[in-house]
Amino acid sequence: MQWSIVGLNILYATLGVVLMFAAYRIIDILTPQVDFAEELKKGNVAVGLFVAAIFISVAIVVGGALN
């Protein structure tokens, strides 16, 4: 096992999580009329799909950048 590869994988995973959180917060700030957390608590499926789409799109971009 090469520890440098393990370390890089952990770094990339951390970077991906940070970028997903940043993207969520940016969208949350740009849409002040929608409270995502409250809508998700109410069971709003459309908001859940929107948040999932944000996470998937950021994951695709980060994954493409790493290859």
Side-chain angles (χ1 to χ4, degrees), residues 4-63:
S4 61
I5 294 175
V6 172
L8 280 176
N9 284 333
I10 291 172
L11 176 70
Y12 292 148
T14 305
L15 178 65
V17 169
V18 168
L19 288 175
M20 284 186 187
F21 178 74
Y24 175 78
R25 293 299 300 158
I26 289 171
I27 297 296
D28 193 31
I29 290 169
L30 291 176
T31 56
Q33 66 274 14
V34 179
D35 185 8
F36 289 116
E38 186 62 34
E39 291 295 324
L40 288 172
K41 286 179 188 175
K42 288 189 221 175
N44 191 335
V45 177
V47 172
L49 289 173
F50 181 73
V51 171
I54 292 170
F55 289 160
I56 291 170
S57 62
V58 170
I60 290 171
V61 170
V62 170

